[in-house]
Amino acid sequence: MPSIRTAVRNFSAGLQSLREQRLRALLSALGVMVGSSAIILLVSIATGVQDDVKSQVSDLGVNVLVVVPGRIEEGTFNPNFGGMSYLREVDAERCREVRGVARAEPFSFVGGGIRNGAKVASPLIAAATPDWFEMRPVRMQAGRVFTAADDRSDVVVLGSIAKQELFGEVSAVGRTVEINQRTYRVIGVTEDKKQEQSLLSFGSFQNMVYLSFHRLLRVQPDLQTARIMIQIRPDVEPKALIKQLDKVFEKRLDRQQFQVLTQEDLLGLIYKLMGILTWLLTGLTSIALFVGGVGIMTVMLMAVNERSAEIGIRKTVGAKNSDIFQQFLIEAVVLSLGGGLAGLIFSYFADLALYRFTPVKPEITPGIVALAFAVSVLVGAAFGLIPALNAARKDPVVALRVG
């Protein structure tokens, strides 16, 4: 009980000293505020982007496997991953014969842009089969998706963002667009309001332009199958089916030329790459936090010298070295905590502005708040340690003489 009263007394003495030196305390806490706000902003933005990516991948649909034309080992891409794909439509046909597979469809990415007169857009252009829309049902803003009957026609389905860029408020269905110097008739426009303000909306399904895979294969025989999308039956465990699918592909391809991935695999890889980038940027911004900590240490060392008389008087009336140590360490931690709290408040309003006025959707989670306070306490304790030790070791007689 006496130790609690002593701690409270030391805490009160520390706060009193900070109140008496308000301006100095404010300036020393400013460095911690800058460093902590930079870290909080980075982590909150990264958290928001991760949720955005998760939403995009989840939009592929339930129980969907993706076959990619390369191998991902220990979280890194095969160097040839972006090169030529060895996947073929026949691989999708063989996958459909595997028990537990509901659908398997070839999927290709088409380069170039899309034009309507003078208006140009650069969405993600994909070649898909009619069954792709069965695998991933879409809401239609207007018109329809293509069917097997459209395999001999140059038709296109626009995403709502691409439609807005090319046609504005005018109806696009029935009108024509030009893709890679070929004219296509618009038969439908998809809609996905959920991701309208997404940071990744430029590459989302809402902005995607769909061409008929088989029609494009007729006019462009060298068309590559960039992905094979596999939908499995609801009662089948995705990972349990991967070994069977591997055997199908190994009949024709080397293991380095393909990999069957679950949605969790895709997210895990993306999160790992994003995590590396986030930690790198956090490390760089931590320099500001270090500078703030040095500022606190400098101010506290100056305070120890200026308050020698106070230290001497407290020791002569019975204060122990541990009491003096606690008081000065508490002052450093309170300074750092104040800077961290100010940084958190600043970050909250900065994130709010980003959320409202930009496609970036940062998220401040309880974990981020806890991180902010933990880092602030750690900085205060680390950089306040030397000043607190110097104060505690002062000889009361010498301190009174100097004061």
Side-chain angles (χ1 to χ4, degrees), residues 207-226:
N207 196 33
M208 193 169 282
V209 170
Y210 294 99
L211 302 178
S212 169
F213 179 85
H214 292 112
R215 173 59 179 169
L216 196 60
L217 194 60
R218 282 194 176 93
V219 300
Q220 188 179 322
D222 60 345
L223 178 69
Q224 293 190 51
T225 301

Side-chain angles (χ1 to χ4, degrees), residues 1-174:
M1 199 70 173
S3 61
I4 296 177
R5 283 200 298 268
T6 303
V8 171
R9 188 165 57 247
N10 293 334
F11 183 76
S12 300
L15 291 182
Q16 180 63 32
S17 297
L18 291 176
R19 279 195 295 268
E20 292 171 356
Q21 301 289 333
R22 288 187 292 272
L23 182 58
R24 181 182 289 179
L26 180 64
L27 292 175
S28 60
L30 189 61
V32 177
M33 171 190 162
V34 172
S36 63
S37 60
I39 292 175
I40 293 167
L41 280 170
L42 274 174
V43 177
S44 62
I45 289 172
T47 302
V49 172
Q50 283 187 350
D51 285 348
D52 207 352
V53 170
K54 184 177 180 180
S55 176
Q56 297 284 344
V57 174
S58 298
D59 265 1
L60 287 173
V62 180
N63 297 332
V64 172
L65 303 177
V66 181
V67 185
V68 295
R71 202 134 197 106
I72 300 170
E73 301 289 354
E74 298 182 358
T76 59
F77 282 111
N78 183 313
N80 300 316
F81 189 79
M84 185 175 73
S85 171
Y86 291 92
L87 302 175
R88 298 289 182 268
E89 185 180 6
V90 66
D91 297 316
E93 294 171 359
R94 290 171 178 167
C95 287
R96 294 185 197 117
E97 299 172 1
V98 176
R99 188 174 181 179
V101 172
R103 294 183 179 88
E105 302 301 324
F107 197 89
S108 288
F109 299 113
V110 182
I114 182 169
R115 179 188 300 274
N116 172 33
K119 295 181 179 179
V120 179
S122 301
L124 185 61
I125 305 174
T129 63
D131 277 351
W132 161 252
F133 297 103
E134 296 294 327
M135 186 181 299
R136 184 190 179 272
V138 293
R139 267 175 54 184
M140 300 302 295
Q141 188 182 95
R144 62 177 178 83
V145 298
F146 43 75
T147 64
D150 296 309
D151 284 352
R152 296 184 178 277
S153 306
D154 288 324
V155 294
V156 62
V157 176
L158 302 179
S160 54
I161 293 179
K163 179 264 177 187
Q164 189 67 28
E165 291 178 352
L166 294 169
F167 294 97
E169 301 302 322
V170 179
S171 173
V173 176

Side-chain angles (χ1 to χ4, degrees), residues 24-25 27-28 294-304 335:
R24 181 182 289 179
L27 292 175
S28 60
V294 171
I296 287 178
M297 184 172 66
T298 303
V299 168
M300 292 302 299
L301 285 172
M302 291 170 59
V304 169
L335 278 176

Side-chain angles (χ1 to χ4, degrees), residues 266-281:
L266 289 171
L267 286 172
L269 175 66
I270 294 169
Y271 284 1
K272 182 169 183 177
L273 294 175
M274 286 183 60
I276 293 171
L277 181 60
T278 301
W279 280 112
L280 175 63
L281 293 174

Side-chain angles (χ1 to χ4, degrees), residues 230-244:
I230 300 174
Q231 185 179 39
I232 63 177
R233 301 190 184 281
D235 58 338
V236 176
E237 170 61 33
K239 289 190 177 293
L241 199 61
I242 289 180
K243 288 185 179 180
Q244 297 181 51

